Amino acid sequence: MITGTLKTTKSEEIFASAQALMPGGVSSPVRAFKSVGGQPIVFDRVKDAYAWDVDGNQYIDYVGTWGPAICGHAHPEVIKAIQETAEKGTSFGAPCALENVLAEMVIDAVPSVEMVRFVNSGTEACMAVLRLMRAYTKRDKLIKFEGCYHGHADMFLVKAGSGVATLGLPDSPGVPSSTTANTLNAPYNDLQAVRQLFEAHPGEIAGVILEPVVGNSGFVVPDAGFLAGLRELTTEHGALLVFDEVMTGFRIAYGGAQSHFGITPDLTTMGKVIGGGLPVGAYGGKKEIMEMVAPAGPMYQAGTLSGNPLAMMAGIKTLEILRQPGSYEHLDKITKRLINGLLEVGKETGHAMYGGSISGMFGFFFQDGPVHNYDDAKKSDTAKFGKYHRAMLEQGVYLAPSQFEAGFTSLAHTEADIDKTIAAARTVLQNM
Ligand SMILES: *Cc1c(COP(=O)(O)O)cnc(C)c1O
């Protein structure tokens, strides 16, 4: 199963037991490493830019629990604040002053957000925002893009990204065609396709949802004019523009992709970073639209643990650390150093690679590129990626276990970590 010198006896034992207890041995599909050999590393602890597995191996971590660990794992200020907050109880199921604090921080930071509702995951945020789009516009149809991931709710599981792409799954069984009948798909970066959908369904489309920078079919950036074009088209057709910033929010800039690109959507979903490693999601936007949400308005959405003090505090501390001067400069600098180094090593060793980064988010594909959408991404050499991934683990580098996931850096990653990673990549690719 495992080749090489990495000692993984305990990881193998634990994962083998897990198989009988949980479907595929995991609580979320991509964690099973199915597309890179099927033997995941079982973590014991994480700190700063590093992860340690149950066999005692140390890795430089570029997954960062899929984005939330942007300040570095187990940041002392975040941990201390969580501990102190926990002393007062973990959930109130009643209003809590910390909700106001995080809400104000989000509203100040994210240009489109005038009001916000907290939920417990990105999936929940996207489910709710779709209901809100429909409630507000009184229209049912939705445009999304192939290879974008908006969580695991039925309406979005058509040509979706993330684990759906990694595992090469067709649209999921258990999703009735009636729930996806109103989901229209277009290729990413294809404005003409979006225009045609609007023309084919006049007055029926509630809005367009997208990852403003894609991380769930690998790292794919919007072409010049794509986001602005969507802004124009949605406005022209009386539809809403929704940025799913669950991944990009507070990551590619403090104000998310919308502040990076200067395009303001009507609604925004958030998650990952905003919870600082605890379960938080959020959706927000123009006050006029958000006031449709119960109890201010008639659109129902609720949550027992929503806005709980522990999760709010983790989010608040994380954003406080992030908004200190120099944070995004650091992320940008080290991530550029990383991706440039990785691509350079590809060139040196004669392996076709294409990739890029924005602030603390990066990605690369084993192919010549360019990659504008999911169909382009699929041309990558996934078998080569699988070998590379395994060999990088052997070298102490933990990358996302799929060619179709973005990578993440944190404030804790140092230039020395980056240089070690590049040296590891050189060793690996020279021998492939
Ligand atoms: C991770 C992600 C989601 C889903 O969030 P969960 O917290 O995993 O439910 C939705 N949209 C995007 C863009 C994501 O990256």
Side-chain angles (χ1 to χ4, degrees):
M1 195 184 315
I2 279 198
T3 54
T5 53
L6 194 64
K7 185 173 158 282
T8 52
T9 325
K10 284 192 184 155
S11 276
E12 289 180 51
E13 270 171 27
I14 292 167
F15 187 60
S17 314
Q19 300 280 348
L21 304 171
M22 296 171 285
V26 289
S27 299
S28 190
V30 181
R31 295 181 199 171
F33 276 41
K34 263 197 148 170
S35 69
V36 293
Q39 179 57 58
I41 298 303
V42 177
F43 279 20
D44 178 51
R45 69 191 174 93
V46 289
K47 178 74 183 155
D48 301 330
Y50 312 113
W52 287 264
D53 70 15
V54 286
D55 290 284
N57 302 303
Q58 180 180 348
Y59 305 92
I60 305 172
D61 179 17
Y62 293 103
V63 182
T65 185
W66 302 97
I70 193 165
C71 299
H73 288 293
H75 191 290
E77 284 172 43
V78 178
I79 298 294
K80 182 162 169 276
I82 290 174
Q83 283 168 340
E84 285 169 6
T85 305
E87 293 291 335
K88 295 168 74 175
T90 58
S91 177
F92 298 165
C96 149
L98 294 172
E99 292 168 272
N100 295 23
V101 179
L102 188 57
E104 270 184 1
M105 292 176 91
V106 173
I107 290 164
D108 280 351
V110 186
S112 66
V113 177
E114 295 172 3
M115 261 189 174
V116 65
R117 165 61 60 87
F118 293 114
V119 293
N120 303 290
S121 69
T123 293
E124 258 190 82
C126 293
M127 283 169 64
V129 96
L130 176 56
R131 185 175 304 146
L132 181 55
M133 290 161 77
R134 289 170 162 170
Y136 182 77
T137 60
K138 303 190 175 67
R139 299 173 179 181
D140 286 343
K141 292 198 189 305
L142 161 82
I143 298 177
K144 67 173 276 294
F145 295 91
E146 292 160 13
C148 281
Y149 181 65
H150 306 294
H152 61 80
D154 284 3
M155 308 75 72
F156 297 113
L157 281 189
V158 189
K159 300 187 178 171
S162 189
V164 187
T166 299
L167 304 177
L169 295 175
D171 308 332
S172 175
V175 176
S177 53
S178 57
T179 46
T180 54
N182 287 312
T183 306
L184 308 169
N185 264 286
Y188 198 79
N189 276 322
D190 189 342
L191 269 183
Q192 188 53 26
V194 176
R195 193 173 289 118
Q196 282 166 359
L197 287 173
F198 272 114
E199 280 162 10
H201 304 279
E204 292 183 90
I205 295 170
V208 175
I209 188 168
L210 78 158
E211 294 180 59
V213 174
V214 186
N216 286 294
S217 30
F219 176 80
V220 181
V221 296
D223 291 344
F226 180 57
L227 299 177
L230 291 177
R231 180 64 282 181
E232 270 172 36
L233 273 174
T234 45
T235 307
E236 184 187 321
H237 290 274
L240 299 174
L241 179 64
V242 183
F243 279 7
D244 178 353
E245 298 232 37
V246 170
M247 188 180 286
T248 53
F250 301 96
R251 175 156 287 276
I252 70 171
Y254 189 67
Q258 54 200 271
S259 82
H260 179 86
F261 292 106
I263 304 289
T264 306
D266 300 295
L267 292 165
T268 300
T269 56
M270 290 156 279
K272 298 192 169 108
V273 170
I274 203 185
L278 269 75
V280 183
Y283 61 102
K286 292 202 177 96
K287 199 168 175 190
E288 184 201 344
I289 307 175
M290 288 304 289
E291 283 188 329
M292 293 282 300
V293 179
M299 191 216 90
Y300 194 69
Q301 186 271 308
T304 300
L305 294 172
S306 297
N308 75 78
L310 219 52
M312 294 296 101
M313 184 50 98
I316 292 165
K317 278 294 153 193
T318 299
L319 298 197
E320 279 177 2
I321 295 161
L322 277 176
R323 72 182 178 188
Q324 285 164 12
S327 295
Y328 291 89
E329 287 77 3
H330 176 80
L331 290 172
D332 199 46
K333 191 170 137 211
I334 54 158
T335 315
K336 276 206 181 101
R337 187 181 180 98
L338 174 69
I339 192 67
N340 291 342
L342 294 178
L343 297 179
E344 188 55 42
V345 164
K347 211 183 272 174
E348 274 170 34
T349 54
H351 294 275
M353 284 176 88
Y354 177 82
S357 71
I358 301 180
S359 183
M361 181 172 167
F362 70 93
F364 58 85
F365 299 96
F366 278 110
Q367 61 158 302
D368 284 320
V371 177
H372 294 290
N373 55 38
Y374 183 40
D375 277 343
D376 291 343
K378 278 193 290 195
K379 292 175 193 150
S380 307
D381 188 340
T382 53
K384 185 182 276 187
F385 179 82
K387 284 184 203 144
Y388 180 81
H389 184 271
R390 177 69 219 179
M392 288 296 273
L393 271 184
E394 298 273 342
Q395 298 285 325
V397 177
Y398 191 86
L399 296 167
S402 165
Q403 177 73 109
F404 304 116
E405 298 283 354
F408 305 109
T409 53
S410 77
L411 297 178
H413 285 79
T414 62
E415 288 194 354
D417 293 325
I418 302 300
D419 293 345
K420 257 190 229 169
T421 305
I422 296 166
R426 184 172 290 111
T427 306
V428 164
L429 284 184
Q430 273 168 352
N431 291 307
M432 259 172 65

